[in-house]
Amino acid sequence: MRYSIEKVTTLIGARRIGEADANIGWLLTDSRSLCFPEETLFFALRSERNDGHKYICELYRRGVRNFVVSRVPDGLENYPGANFLKVVDTLEALQRLAERHRDEFGIPVVGITGSNGKTMVKEWLYQLLSPSMVVTRSPKSYNSQIGVPLSVWLLNEQTQVALFEAGISRPGEMQALRDIIQPTIGVLTSLGAAHQENFRSMEEKCEEKIALFHDARVVVYDSDDETVSRCLRKSGYAGEKIGWSRQSPNAAFYVSRVDTEGTTSTIHYMYKGAEGCYRLPFIDDASLGCSFACACVALHLGLTADELGQRMAALEPVAMRLEVKEGRHGCTLINDSYNSDFNSLDIALDFMNRRPDHNGRKRTLILSDIYQSGERPEELYAKVGELAAKRGVERFIGIGADISAQAGAITVADKHFFADVDGFVGSPVFRSLRDEVILIKGSRAFGFDRITELLEQKVHETILEVNLNALVANLNFYRSFMRPETKIVCMVKADAYGAGAVEVAKTLQDHRADYLAVAVADEGVTLRKNGITTSIMIMNPEMTAFKTMFDYDLEPEVYSFRLMDALIRAAEKEGITNYPVHIKLDTGMHRLGFDPRKDIDEVINRLKHQNAIIPRSVFSHFVGSDSDEFDSFSAQQFALFDEGSRKLQAAFDHKILRHMDNSAGIEHFPERQLDMCRLGLGLYGIDSRDNRILSNVSTLKTTILQLRNVPKEETVGYSRKGRLTRDSVIAAIPIGYADGLNRHLGCGHCHCLVNGQKAPYVGNICMDVAMIDVTGIDCHEGDSVEIFGDHLPVTVLSDALQTIPYEVLTSVSSRVKKVYFQD
Ligand SMILES: *Cc1c(COP(=O)(O)O)cnc(C)c1O
């Protein structure tokens, strides 16, 4: 659906500056995601940390002509042909536009909220309804104040039913989302602890969520939850209530019995007096609850009990991970197991496009048929082709009958089509995949797992999974202590504390870290060769690597006169002037650095008498910001630094950034954040002040290779160290001290997790293998084993080793394959 710019102006009540005609099809709030400039309307949103107005000039250069702003840019003559729609609040304007768009549709709209399970309910409803109706839904979990309007904008003439998620984190937000979604059917999935910090009570949070349903005709909820039932009564909601219950036969949807067999549940229910039954290929409580909510909505929308039964039995797990893995022959695989539809394709292509790549490797898309779009194939695949071309796809591989029939619509020159996965993997095209970044995206029915499996590099069954969303959540957690203008250095030394510097740096660059820091020049070179353009600091510059630093734009730390003089000589030899460096002061660590009292005059003197290097920043490091015990020492360190760094600044006209806080310092001494902070361990999810896990980033996993019964009188492993106290079941796992599993964890000093249960290490840990005791644990060969991560904090291992989590994380060997994912 397209809106003329005049219409948009009226709908959002803006003052228009500019007269060019335009039709708007795309709304943009993040300049990095631009795709169709001519039809894009950019909303210059302001947040605490950023201001969209900053990107107008760049977007204009890239072809965008339509902007919603709260401030019209200076020099309007530089923007011929542009329209600026001036409003007081650009976020409100975005929401208003979505609201007006929503008004055009008299169809059932399902608004889904709750603490957990929103996305699962939305995706399952999609699977249940889409065989018989055209469904528009929020992509992934777009459920915020910005995500909801962007989702609602996706409604189009074909849509017959819409599914939107609404997520809130603080009081007062739901009102805006209600006006935009205007649900006719409301679903409250479950009430849990998420975001409780911003609400006084569970009741208050529940009332806020229920505000979404105020004008809905039907509300679907768990009537066994007393808080929900009470809040709903108190809210004055007057429409129909469809409660599900496992206790009360009077509920609209009464679950009379649930039988479990293996991995399948059979649910017997009574819906409005009629008996029914369905099988669900899941047995956990969360899945059951979501299936009840889905059944209520589907039955209300007219699905027959038979249709419900058939489709429930075929429900697929909701996997929303987008994974990045190393593949064979120099390929990187981006595997998006999320359902294949146009909107999620757009998001995945945007992800690929935004990750820089070295040597400009070719970008390849492997795509299956897209089901249930409601559009004619000619139109759909023409859109897909255009999108792929705009998002930089250079090689297009289509798999499926529909997409093959529309081969002509794909404009990417290097294109290939196959009827099915077999045809593709047996073809020369498959064998020719080399040095490419490959996005693999297919409807589940096509079995694209096989392609991924064949392309994956299988070296070892032990992997480190790195959660990029968690990394960003931690970054934002620490940013919340900082003033918006304070800069941030993200420490990616030691291969990003073991998480893999290249992919971590790509994500940090995308999230606008001001600086990255590594220990040695070679680490910096690797980042540059992989497309990282963010400023990079070298903490331990080697005298032999100055030339490399100049060549790759790496900024060294300078901590001694010897280093400074050598650096100046090297720069002068290359004819370099004003090369940025970072001056380190020693305020108490007594490791590296200039003495802020004794040395500072001489530092200034030497810097003043040359122009090869220039101090870009000055910094020092706390010895004990992670413990209150050292607070007075920290204060003393800070006073010394303050004095020395002020003196340095006073000697120069240009601004010299001052920084001292590390992760613990940011949290403990936000008043000492100065111009910049250096974030290390916290980024990787560990709060060094109390060893608490923030958002867990890295999970080290392996699998059971072999199981055996070992009688009590036998021993396990080298030197017969593994003595048994009972007849035992012993599992061998392919991880040893050469992978970074510290040998001191052996002989029962620590455990790993097998199917959620603790399995202690038995006997000495070997180089490549370890043995664990799984007696009494229900497990099989091939089952997954967690060494540390989401369910077993890395601090359990570091405590057992009487060391710090830094050491355990950075010990993970480079031979352990890493898999990056994003929800
Ligand atoms: C590693 C390092 C940091 C980061 O410390 P964390 O405790 O991991 O936050 C900060 N500054 C310097 C100089 C470092 O070497």
Side-chain angles (χ1 to χ4, degrees), residues 489 491 493 497 517 539-540 557 584 589 591 619-622 625-626 659-666 677-684 688 806:
V489 187
M491 310 305 287
K493 59 189 179 190
Y497 290 47
M539 309 308 279
N540 299 318
E557 156 185 329
K584 183 173 207 176
M589 177 80 100
R591 184 170 62 176
F619 70 105
S620 188
H621 197 32
F622 285 118
S625 54
D626 53 349
H659 47 116
M660 184 124 189
D661 270 344
N662 62 346
S663 305
I666 296 172
C677 298
R678 299 186 305 273
L679 180 61
L681 192 67
L683 192 53
Y684 306 99
S688 55
Y806 298 73

Side-chain angles (χ1 to χ4, degrees), residues 640-675:
L640 260 176
F641 175 70
D642 196 42
E643 180 191 327
S645 60
R646 275 180 199 277
K647 217 164 165 184
L648 181 72
Q649 174 66 84
F652 291 88
D653 293 333
H654 73 276
K655 167 88 183 157
I656 302 175
L657 300 168
R658 302 195 303 150
H659 47 116
M660 184 124 189
D661 270 344
N662 62 346
S663 305
I666 296 172
E667 199 184 340
H668 194 39
F669 311 125
E671 70 282 6
R672 292 176 183 152
Q673 60 186 274
L674 301 171
D675 302 310

Side-chain angles (χ1 to χ4, degrees), residues 398-413:
I399 297 181
D402 294 0
I403 200 166
S404 299
Q406 300 301 325
I410 306 298
T411 50
V412 178

Side-chain angles (χ1 to χ4, degrees), residues 341-361:
D341 60 71
F342 186 78
N343 297 316
S344 74
L345 174 65
D346 184 30
I347 293 173
L349 284 170
D350 185 31
F351 177 85
M352 171 157 82
N353 208 21
R354 270 160 60 168
R355 294 185 90 71
D357 187 56
H358 62 299
N359 313 328
R361 279 185 300 176

Side-chain angles (χ1 to χ4, degrees), residues 294-419:
C294 290
C296 294
V297 176
L299 292 168
H300 173 77
L301 283 174
L303 241 65
T304 64
D306 279 351
E307 284 168 332
L308 184 72
Q310 277 160 20
R311 295 178 196 174
M312 278 283 186
L315 282 186
E316 306 266 10
V318 178
M320 299 207 309
R321 287 166 46 145
L322 200 145
E323 292 182 333
V324 183
K325 307 181 184 185
E326 284 318 304
R328 292 173 194 277
H329 307 308
C331 291
T332 295
L333 312 179
I334 302 177
N335 187 19
D336 188 0
S337 47
Y338 192 71
N339 280 325
S340 194
D341 60 71
F342 186 78
N343 297 316
S344 74
L345 174 65
D346 184 30
I347 293 173
L349 284 170
D350 185 31
F351 177 85
M352 171 157 82
N353 208 21
R354 270 160 60 168
R355 294 185 90 71
D357 187 56
H358 62 299
N359 313 328
R361 279 185 300 176
K362 186 182 280 181
R363 292 173 196 270
T364 300
L365 169 64
I366 305 179
L367 180 69
S368 75
D369 288 351
I370 293 177
Y371 290 147
Q372 279 115 24
S373 73
E375 281 174 279
R376 290 192 306 120
E378 299 78 42
E379 281 164 20
L380 173 66
Y381 292 103
K383 264 169 59 186
V384 167
E386 192 185 3
L387 183 74
K390 293 259 179 172
R391 290 263 189 238
V393 170
E394 292 151 288
R395 191 181 218 194
F396 189 106
I397 296 167
I399 297 181
D402 294 0
I403 200 166
S404 299
Q406 300 301 325
I410 306 298
T411 50
V412 178
D414 184 1
K415 57 181 176 178
H416 312 271
F417 296 86
F418 302 91

Side-chain angles (χ1 to χ4, degrees), residues 498-711:
V502 169
E503 295 301 325
V504 164
K506 285 180 185 176
T507 299
L508 294 170
Q509 171 162 300
D510 197 31
H511 285 84
R512 304 199 165 97
D514 300 282
Y515 262 97
L516 300 172
V518 293
V520 295
D522 274 351
E523 292 181 297
V525 172
T526 305
L527 295 182
R528 287 282 181 254
K529 285 190 170 162
N530 283 283
I532 299 298
T533 53
T534 305
S535 302
I536 297 177
M537 232 179 246
I538 307 292
M539 309 308 279
N540 299 318
E542 315 95 303
M543 301 265 191
T544 49
F546 292 148
K547 175 80 166 66
T548 310
M549 290 180 221
F550 301 144
D551 289 348
Y552 288 93
D553 227 341
L554 307 170
E555 306 175 13
E557 156 185 329
V558 172
Y559 53 80
S560 73
F561 291 117
R562 189 170 80 95
L563 176 65
M564 185 188 284
D565 293 343
L567 182 64
I568 292 171
R569 272 199 308 278
E572 284 173 346
K573 203 172 112 204
E574 300 290 325
I576 287 170
T577 54
N578 289 332
Y579 199 79
V581 303
H582 305 272
I583 306 293
K584 183 173 207 176
L585 304 183
D586 173 22
T587 56
M589 177 80 100
H590 302 326
R591 184 170 62 176
L592 297 171
F594 294 104
D595 187 313
R597 292 225 167 105
K598 290 198 208 107
D599 295 338
I600 200 75
D601 292 329
E602 182 57 16
V603 169
I604 293 169
N605 180 39
R606 289 202 200 183
L607 286 171
K608 283 271 176 192
H609 284 91
Q610 56 83 46
N611 67 353
I613 63 172
I614 181 170
R616 176 77 184 101
S617 85
V618 55
F619 70 105
S620 188
H621 197 32
F622 285 118
V623 169
S625 54
D626 53 349
S627 168
D628 297 345
E629 193 186 335
F630 305 113
D631 280 358
S632 65
F633 189 76
S634 295
Q636 190 182 317
Q637 276 193 288
F638 187 76
L640 260 176
F641 175 70
D642 196 42
E643 180 191 327
S645 60
R646 275 180 199 277
K647 217 164 165 184
L648 181 72
Q649 174 66 84
F652 291 88
D653 293 333
H654 73 276
K655 167 88 183 157
I656 302 175
L657 300 168
R658 302 195 303 150
H659 47 116
M660 184 124 189
D661 270 344
N662 62 346
S663 305
I666 296 172
E667 199 184 340
H668 194 39
F669 311 125
E671 70 282 6
R672 292 176 183 152
Q673 60 186 274
L674 301 171
D675 302 310
M676 190 147 85
C677 298
R678 299 186 305 273
L679 180 61
L681 192 67
L683 192 53
Y684 306 99
I686 297 144
D687 186 331
S688 55
R689 288 189 51 78
D690 54 9
N691 259 0
R692 181 170 59 107
I693 302 291
L694 302 163
S695 295
N696 184 57
V697 171
S698 293
T699 298
L700 181 60
K701 279 184 169 173
T702 186
T703 48
I704 296 181
L705 283 184
Q706 195 176 24
L707 283 170
R708 76 177 70 246
N709 293 308
V710 184

